[in-house]
Amino acid sequence: MRTDDRGAAAVEFALLLPILLVLVLGLVDFGRALNAQVTLTQAAREGARVAALKKPNVVTRTQDAATNLDGVAVTVVACPTTPSPTADASVTATYTFEFITPVGAIAGIFGDGGFGDPLTLSAQGVMPCEA
């Protein structure tokens, strides 16, 4: 081994470590966001089912179905008292997703806004009204 090559691996690792960390942390936040979107979609679907059956507490049951998501906003379009055959119940659930890893702060160094800002996730469930 030549003496002038000593430390080259450490320098290469130091140069690539930030890129590797951004990739790994980005994957973690992307997975969390995808999980939150799936949970929100299931909650909206559950809320629409409850609204279509004309059960009470649609908002509460929708928020309860959104497990591990705090602060879910719910908008309900309920079935009419005498629904037509084409009437639908609709529930829209909205959630503000916050990144937990410093990927957003790192991205903010390179540009203004966009990546790393909180995401507003939304899902809608629609079910035909039961007669």
Side-chain angles (χ1 to χ4, degrees):
M1 177 181 228
R2 294 176 27 202
T3 58
D4 57 347
D5 286 342
R6 289 178 31 179
V11 170
E12 291 170 357
F13 180 73
L15 291 173
L16 291 178
L17 182 64
I19 296 169
L20 181 64
L21 284 176
V22 166
L23 283 173
V24 169
L25 295 176
L27 285 172
V28 168
D29 266 342
F30 177 76
R32 287 184 58 249
L34 186 60
N35 184 34
Q37 181 64 48
V38 169
T39 302
L40 200 61
T41 300
Q42 280 298 110
R45 188 176 298 136
E46 173 67 17
R49 186 184 70 81
V50 170
L53 294 173
K54 299 179 187 169
K55 302 269 181 159
N57 304 325
V58 175
V59 173
T60 304
R61 290 183 66 177
T62 303
Q63 290 171 334
D64 289 346
T67 55
N68 299 325
L69 299 181
D70 295 328
V72 174
V74 179
T75 306
V76 179
V77 177
C79 291
T81 53
T82 55
S84 68
T86 59
D88 291 331
S90 172
V91 171
T92 303
T94 308
Y95 174 71
T96 302
F97 177 80
E98 299 279 343
F99 291 97
I100 62 166
T101 63
V103 174
I106 294 168
I109 294 171
F110 299 107
D112 185 30
F115 184 73
D117 292 342
L119 296 176
T120 301
L121 304 177
S122 181
Q124 184 178 27
V126 179
M127 296 267 178
C129 294
E130 295 290 323

